[in-house]
């Protein structure tokens, strides 16, 4: 069922929708926060959902923040969410790899990614190789014979040597090849500690010298590894439905009913397509990457793959849910 | 005209071929040398071609060696080739960019590549941006407002920050995006200073700890930049016919006749396809990347694009030309 991209507002549609769904899946970056800052109303909406007995899960393609960190942010908002409700690609990659290493011997994972990603794997009982001798020239860089998987994530320490090591491990066809998410790039604002970018004009700080306007995403780093190894990665994050299956595996007693679940996100190519892939209703929020124009362009397109990237509804911001939930 | 992949040997075919061609285009890595070592007979073949009045051009996708360096190697073999006969992707990229910057203002080129590549651009009168502040975190890395082109080559100093800078420059649709070559990876032996790999068993040195078995090529780094920028690079090197056009532009007085030109290379997907794209006869030499089996597989394939990657002839090594030239 393709979406029609209607504005979600107080009125019959909005009321019916709030009554018809009992589970909310929310993306984080661009939905609840913009870089390090909370988006206005996000805490209130989450509190209101909880008060109304709705189930809430955070589903994030960002593998640089640990679940604990995300849960900590929620706690600071007065929400005792607990890390169990937070599904990052780091957590889901660990679940995937534990299943992939089915035998008694559990090989090591070579991680191109943040320390938080490595910590998530270790917390799941996996062995991580490295950080190794990445400062050495590539000709003297030793490989770890126990590596049985390469996991590519968002990696600000990505380098030629790391790429060479990943591709060398992947020469062995038994070596698993997993990527946390397909995001090709990120606006600078989505990366913690960087300057905000896509806020309204009144929020813009005066600019110093011109700095990088985009950050390469995991999809970009994965493309390099795929080209040099001649292999394709298994991609964990949205829009693949793997993360939805992870939630239902963890919530085995009370799995989510797709017909009664709403996905809220800021990216058409990941969040909204994820919703379509899982049979959920979707809401695009305009505080992140995708624009309303892009959603309308997809709606007008004759290509079926673009029609799948049309949300059922859109809102200017997460805070537009407040009057809906109060009504 | 698709090749038949026949062994080139002394006899009527071989004699006819040597009489029918008066220009030889030779790839370098895997043909004349294997890593830092000369392949046996390479110097003698080049001398013999010169004595017989054949025109010889070296056409290399390797942008890490300067033309002067290649010419110096030939000089050490007693061949006063001169850098004019050497066409590297560095040289041809400089020719391309000089033409692209047609106006009176000549912007800078941001180079992901070796110092030799940057030197080649400077020698052609181009301005190169950087090396810059690549050791800083990405959030503090300044962009150079004068950059008007990004050139991606083989870059052992490739990093997340370099990738972020390249993609940020490419946000401006006027910024040119050029890649020296499409090679996705290289065997370790092809990189100067590294251990030999694909030689006969008798040449193998005892191995120390396991080290990287492949090196990412320019095609891998370009894939990362393409994914993060959403743009496609103009690729200079083989199999594009651009380098053939460069030779003919420089040899404007006596351009090469494709019907009387032979291309000798070790890679089906670059050298042999380049020959096919330029209407040349082709010889695969088995001292490099591609195998005879791969050539036969292409010959047996029904896919037209694979049939274009079948050489007319093959030899075990460049030295097999010696008896042909003596006969």
């Amino acid at each position: 069922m393709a979406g029609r991209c209607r504005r979600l507002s107080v009125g019959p549609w909005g009321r019916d929708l709030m009554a018809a769904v009992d589970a909310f899946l929310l993306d984080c970056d661009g939905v609840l926060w913009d870089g390090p800052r909370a988006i206005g109303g996000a805490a209130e909406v989450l509190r209101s959902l909880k008060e109304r007995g709705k189930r809430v899960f955070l589903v994030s393609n960002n593998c640089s923040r640990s679940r604990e960190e995300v849960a900590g942010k929620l706690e600071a908002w007065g929400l005792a969410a607990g890390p169990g409700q937070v599904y990052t690609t780091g957590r889901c990659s660990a679940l995937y790899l534990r299943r992939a290493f089915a035998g008694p011997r559990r090989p090591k994972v070579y991680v191109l990614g943040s320390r938080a990603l490595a910590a998530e794997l270790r917390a799941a009982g996996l062995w991580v190789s490295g950080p190794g001798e990445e400062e050495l020239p590539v000709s003297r860089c030793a490989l770890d014979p126990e590596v049985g998987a390469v996991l590519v994530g968002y990696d600000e320490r990505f380098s030629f040597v790391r790429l060479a090591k990943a591709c060398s491990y992947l020469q062995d066809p038994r070596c698993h090849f997993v990527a946390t998410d397909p995001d090709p790039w990120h606006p600078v604002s989505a990366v913690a500690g960087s300057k905000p970018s896509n806020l309204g004009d009144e929020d813009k700080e005066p600019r110093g010298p011109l700095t990088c306007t985009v950050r390469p995403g995991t999809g970009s780093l994965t493309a390099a590894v795929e080209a040099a190894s001649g292999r394709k990665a298994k991609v964990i994050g949205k829009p693949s439905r793997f993360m939805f299956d992870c939630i239902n595996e963890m919530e085995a007693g009370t799995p989510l009913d797709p017909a009664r679940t709403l996905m809220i996100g800021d990216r058409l190519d990941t969040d909204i397509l994820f919703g379509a892939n899982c049979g959920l209703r979707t809401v695009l929020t305009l505080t992140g990457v995708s624009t309303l124009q892009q959603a309308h362009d997809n709606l007008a397109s004759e290509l079926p793959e673009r029609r799948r990237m049309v949300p059922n509804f859109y809102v200017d911001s997460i805070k537009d849910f407040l009057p809906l939930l109060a009504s």
Side-chain angles (χ1 to χ4, degrees), chain A:
Chain A
M1 166 194 70
R4 302 292 310 163
C5 196
R6 289 173 173 152
R7 178 184 283 276
L8 186 58
S9 54
V10 181
W13 282 339
R15 218 167 22 237
D16 289 355
L17 184 69
M18 290 305 105
V21 294
D22 43 35
F24 285 68
L25 308 188
L26 294 109
D27 179 38
C28 297
D29 293 304
V31 176
L32 301 179
W33 45 77
D34 177 52
R37 299 186 198 179
I39 288 178
E44 291 80 356
V45 169
L46 292 181
R47 265 198 296 272
S48 181
L49 287 171
K50 207 178 166 190
E51 283 162 17
R52 273 150 194 78
K54 305 292 186 187
R55 296 168 77 189
V56 173
F57 299 93
L58 303 190
V59 183
S60 171
N61 271 7
N62 187 334
C63 60
S64 306
R65 276 199 206 95
S66 68
R67 273 188 289 157
E68 286 69 20
E69 208 179 325
V70 176
K73 273 174 171 266
L74 298 183
E75 225 163 277
W77 292 353
L79 287 153
Q85 280 172 259
V86 182
Y87 287 80
T88 63
T89 47
R91 180 186 188 184
C92 295
S93 296
L95 289 169
Y96 178 88
L97 286 166
R98 279 184 53 155
R99 214 181 290 169
F101 296 155
R105 189 183 143 267
R106 196 167 277 178
K108 290 185 189 169
V109 183
Y110 182 63
V111 180
L112 297 176
S114 64
R115 290 182 179 87
L117 179 59
E120 188 79 66
L121 297 185
R122 286 197 193 94
L126 292 161
W127 297 95
V128 172
S129 177
E133 307 155 318
E134 274 94 349
E135 305 316 312
L136 288 179
V138 67
S139 55
R140 285 164 47 210
C141 215
L143 297 180
D144 183 338
E146 291 179 61
V147 165
V150 169
L151 173 62
V152 184
Y154 177 80
D155 183 13
E156 294 201 349
R157 292 171 299 164
F158 189 74
S159 67
F160 187 85
V161 168
R162 287 185 172 219
L163 178 56
K165 287 179 83 168
C167 301
S168 296
Y169 287 126
L170 291 169
Q171 296 301 299
D172 182 344
R174 293 166 303 179
C175 183
H176 296 273
F177 181 16
V178 180
T180 55
D181 66 89
D183 296 1
W185 56 274
H186 302 281
V188 163
S189 64
V191 182
S194 60
K195 288 186 190 174
S197 72
N198 53 355
L199 301 172
D201 275 335
E202 68 277 18
D203 291 319
K204 276 199 180 139
E205 291 167 10
R207 286 286 179 134
L210 192 65
T211 53
C212 289
T213 49
V214 292
R215 301 290 163 87
T218 304
S220 163
L221 312 184
T222 305
V225 180
E226 288 186 337
S229 67
R231 294 183 53 178
K232 292 296 281 181
K234 160 75 184 173
V235 182
I236 295 298
K238 299 170 283 186
S240 153
R241 57 171 289 131
F242 184 76
M243 291 178 89
F244 187 73
D245 296 337
C246 282
I247 297 176
N248 274 345
E249 191 177 315
M250 302 306 273
E251 306 276 323
T254 49
L256 299 178
D257 175 1
R260 297 187 62 79
T261 303
L262 189 70
M263 172 72 209
I264 306 169
D266 73 308
R267 274 185 107 128
L268 295 166
D269 55 349
T270 51
D271 300 312
I272 302 308
L273 187 55
F274 169 78
N277 288 340
C278 303
L280 318 178
R281 273 179 279 198
T282 53
V283 180
L284 178 72
T285 175
L286 299 175
T287 45
V289 170
S290 296
T291 64
L292 186 58
Q293 186 59 51
Q294 289 167 335
H296 282 152
D297 291 348
N298 287 346
L299 182 60
S301 170
E302 287 175 1
L303 299 171
E305 64 270 28
R306 287 190 61 185
R307 293 297 301 276
R308 286 176 70 75
M309 292 190 275
V310 177
N312 297 100
F313 303 97
Y314 74 92
V315 291
D316 289 329
S317 151
I318 187 77
K319 91 174 153 221
D320 294 354
F321 277 92
L322 278 179
L324 282 165
L325 290 164
S327 70

